Amino acid sequence: MSRVTARIRSFNTQLHARGFAAAAARPPLSGLSAAARERAEKLSAGWRGTSATGGNTKNFIGGEFVESKTSEWIDLADPATQTLLTRVPETTVEEFDQAVAAASEAFKTWSKSSVLTRQRFALELQHQLRQHSDAIANSIVLEQGKTYADAQGDLLRGLQVVETTTGIPTALLGNHIEVTKDMDTSTRRLPLGVCASIAPFNFPAMIPLWSIPMALTTGNTLILKPSERDPGAAMIIAELCQRAGIPPGVLNVVHGTVPIVNAICDNPKIKAISFVGGDRAGKHIYERGRATGKRVQANLGAKNHAVVMPDANKNHALNSLIGAAFGAAGQRCMAISVAVLVGNAQSWVPELVERAKKLKVSQGFEQGADFGPVISSAAKARINGLIASSEEEGGRIVLDGRDYQVPEYPEGNWVGPTVIEATTTMRCYRVEIFGPVLVVIPADTLDDALAIINENKYGNGTAIFTQSGATARRFEVEVEVGQIGINVPIPVPLPMFSWSGNKASFLGDVPFYGRSGIDFYTQNKTTTTLWKSEDAIGNKASVDMPTHH
């Protein structure tokens, strides 16, 4: 067996286990609080593609929300109560083929539509998203477990990409030059065709909105596969795209795990894949997609370090670490998961722990909740195992969140804030934990801190906290990471820029959104023309009375 084949089989096994091995869910609505129940019922009554009361999630194909004919369904439970919210289909081969056919047919006309038509779509979509942000946020809280405020932020960061694409006529301007007498060369940007987006569970609104407006305003059609763990936000967004005026087939949504991912990678009519997720899945998708000639952009794992210098503003640095490490239960690819404390800053650990203890962990609709449950019981077990490994390898758990209890929600996937003093040889440092765990590493000098970061294989994001401009400048120049924050804990660039994670955190040549997003979803066509001026018909019109002579 080849190494690639072994990796693919391992990936397939992992995804099937993740999708189908969950514990039995409680009956619909049975475990929800009154506030959550009201929102769940409103979602099910108001939206055609999703359910929060135990119904089935639909496919969206050719402009229609379609009940899947699959025999394989994934039960999706609220991570705070294990209450069944919806059943997600493993979209069949026939249904996927219908989605590709609908997207291919729609491309024939959508690609030739006026750029002003596509601009109007973006303008109307941002209006629809703002008008219905409450529904999207409610879906995210129920399915993913975020707090309501964090769910609104999830949508807002995606909405900013939509707003940027309202400038698509300018973004698609080509180039033209007269290269010599009577000869001109021009370049224009054209869409690729049918594209696909495979989204992760941790940002159910933001990541689909990295692709939908970029792909559609550039003239492509799109097949979206949201995470099978929380597709509700994507289904609401699809319905809002329809209200915003996209024709049938321009956007299609399918669901599932390995089979649908492989179908996307293998179908020759799909020209590009955008993926955000973990290492194993990302490498598999990149290799399999590239093997069939597709463009692929894949954002993978991360281990984001924050360096705290002794001269840093202590209050700002500690609050920033807590927010960036524990927000969204640490389930962010740009979460700060490692704090490198330099010199005297190492004495700040007790105060860091005391502040972290004050965080309120609860269901996302609860007043004052700082973060919610992790996505699944399997994720909780994995996180707890990595915490335990630090103690086994000689680390010190100074704040242990493994036995965190929320009395009102005894069945939730709870992991409390956790702080571990460790070294770079330990598994808890080397592996992406993806939970509310902050690993603290000591360093004597800035040189030591830089060496720690630069030796790590990942390059998504990093930050430094200091009041010295010279220190900040040196860090910015010498650190080998793509996205840098100076006194900013999560330096995700706004969409007028582009995502720039690097090293083992990214596979592909062209990253997400901004100028790079336009490049990813378009191809250049260059035309050189020659019209000789002497060939022009230059007879002057006569105004004299015509005669027959």
Side-chain angles (χ1 to χ4, degrees):
M1 184 190 306
S2 73
R3 188 175 301 173
V4 171
T5 302
R7 183 187 301 158
I8 289 172
R9 288 186 181 177
S10 176
F11 165 69
N12 290 353
T13 302
Q14 178 197 47
L15 277 189
H16 276 298
R18 185 182 71 187
F20 295 100
R26 297 167 71 179
L29 299 173
S30 62
L32 300 182
S33 67
R37 184 188 186 107
E38 179 185 356
R39 289 168 168 85
E41 290 174 338
K42 189 174 180 180
L43 280 169
S44 294
W47 300 93
R48 290 179 287 160
T50 186
S51 172
T53 54
N56 295 339
T57 294
K58 306 293 195 299
N59 291 318
F60 182 59
I61 299 173
E64 300 290 337
F65 290 95
V66 183
E67 186 81 36
S68 177
K69 296 179 180 177
T70 186
S71 59
E72 295 186 73
W73 296 86
I74 303 163
D75 285 353
L76 193 163
D78 162 30
T81 66
Q82 312 310 325
T83 300
L84 179 67
L85 299 173
T86 186
R87 296 197 314 154
V88 182
E90 186 78 64
T91 296
T92 67
V93 173
E94 293 76 15
E95 290 162 352
F96 175 72
D97 288 343
Q98 290 167 12
V100 174
S104 299
E105 186 63 27
F107 178 74
K108 296 175 182 177
T109 51
W110 182 249
S111 61
K112 294 179 173 61
S113 65
S114 166
V115 69
L116 298 179
T117 298
R118 291 179 257 137
Q119 180 189 42
R120 283 196 298 274
F121 157 70
L123 287 165
E124 182 59 27
L125 179 59
Q126 63 87 24
H127 169 69
Q128 292 287 340
L129 290 168
R130 288 191 181 279
Q131 190 174 16
H132 299 284
S133 64
D134 185 62
I136 295 171
N138 286 338
S139 177
I140 292 171
V141 174
L142 287 166
E143 292 186 352
Q144 203 273 349
K146 291 187 179 186
T147 65
Y148 182 79
D150 196 32
Q152 285 280 2
D154 184 332
L155 172 61
L156 177 62
R157 291 310 298 262
L159 178 59
Q160 290 168 345
V161 178
V162 179
E163 291 172 333
T164 301
T165 60
T166 61
I168 194 66
T170 301
L172 290 179
L173 284 176
N175 299 302
H176 180 275
I177 188 173
E178 185 177 4
V179 294
T180 188
K181 182 178 181 295
D182 298 337
M183 182 177 287
D184 302 276
T185 297
S186 61
T187 299
R188 54 196 171 117
R189 293 180 177 272
L190 299 175
L192 303 177
V194 179
C195 300
S197 176
I198 303 172
F201 76 84
N202 57 323
F203 283 99
M206 183 183 79
I207 301 301
L209 289 172
W210 278 11
S211 292
I212 292 170
M214 298 299 303
L216 269 53
T217 59
T218 49
N220 299 280
T221 55
L222 185 69
I223 296 172
L224 170 66
K225 194 209 84 67
S227 172
E228 69 280 5
R229 305 194 209 184
D230 50 11
M235 299 312 297
I236 295 171
I237 291 169
E239 189 164 344
L240 295 179
C241 286
Q242 191 175 52
R243 295 183 190 181
I246 61 161
V250 172
L251 174 65
N252 303 272
V253 186
V254 296
H255 304 283
T257 55
V258 173
I260 206 71
V261 168
N262 288 342
I264 288 170
C265 293
D266 296 345
N267 193 290
K269 293 182 180 178
I270 295 175
K271 304 302 181 185
I273 302 173
S274 180
F275 169 82
V276 176
D279 284 359
R280 183 173 295 176
K283 290 174 183 176
H284 169 79
I285 290 165
Y286 181 80
E287 292 171 0
R288 190 157 180 156
R290 291 293 295 158
T292 55
K294 294 173 175 53
R295 287 188 185 179
V296 182
Q297 52 179 197
N299 195 66
L300 310 181
K303 202 73 177 178
N304 305 311
H305 301 65
V307 175
V308 181
M309 301 300 294
D311 69 337
N313 180 312
K314 184 178 181 180
N315 183 60
H316 174 66
L318 292 179
N319 285 341
S320 296
L321 287 178
I322 288 169
F326 304 127
Q331 298 173 126
R332 295 170 175 157
C333 61
M334 284 291 285
I336 291 294
S337 54
V338 181
V340 183
L341 304 185
V342 178
N344 293 337
Q346 294 166 35
S347 66
W348 299 357
V349 172
E351 187 169 345
L352 173 70
V353 169
E354 287 306 309
R355 295 191 187 198
K357 285 180 179 178
K358 295 176 182 176
L359 294 173
K360 179 180 178 180
V361 184
S362 190
Q363 198 274 342
F365 293 129
E366 294 292 338
Q367 189 71 28
D370 291 302
F371 66 86
V374 297
I375 188 68
S376 66
S377 57
K380 175 183 175 179
R382 178 182 176 277
I383 293 164
N384 286 345
L386 285 165
I387 295 170
S389 74
S390 67
E391 209 164 38
E392 295 163 4
E393 294 180 290
R396 178 168 170 257
I397 304 172
V398 291
L399 179 61
D400 192 343
R402 285 176 291 178
D403 296 320
Y404 198 95
Q405 300 295 320
V406 180
E408 300 85 357
Y409 299 95
E411 297 187 52
N413 306 320
W414 307 113
V415 181
T418 300
V419 179
I420 302 171
E421 291 181 334
T423 67
T424 58
T425 61
M426 295 178 185
R427 189 159 169 258
C428 66
Y429 171 80
R430 292 182 288 105
V431 175
E432 183 179 29
I433 298 177
F434 224 61
V437 181
L438 180 64
V439 174
V440 176
I441 305 290
D444 293 332
T445 65
L446 177 62
D447 287 338
D448 296 330
L450 281 165
I452 289 168
I453 299 171
N454 290 345
E455 287 169 9
N456 192 277
K457 69 177 182 177
Y458 293 115
N460 229 20
T462 188
I464 187 168
F465 293 90
T466 179
Q467 296 189 71
S468 166
T471 298
R473 172 64 71 184
R474 183 176 169 217
F475 181 81
E476 179 196 8
V477 170
E478 295 188 16
V479 75
E480 296 169 6
V481 174
Q483 299 172 121
I484 302 165
I486 297 172
N487 297 317
V488 175
I490 304 179
V492 177
L494 289 169
M496 67 285 290
F497 297 94
S498 295
W499 186 268
S500 55
N502 61 24
K503 292 162 66 176
S505 293
F506 183 78
L507 285 174
D509 299 316
V510 187
F512 307 92
Y513 63 77
R515 183 78 254 168
S516 295
I518 299 294
D519 291 340
F520 182 78
Y521 284 109
T522 60
Q523 56 191 336
N524 287 343
K525 177 174 281 190
T526 302
T527 304
T528 300
T529 61
L530 174 63
W531 299 107
K532 294 183 178 180
S533 55
E534 56 265 30
D535 292 340
I537 299 173
N539 294 341
K540 182 180 179 181
S542 173
V543 295
D544 296 334
M545 176 66 73
T547 67
H548 298 288
H549 298 289

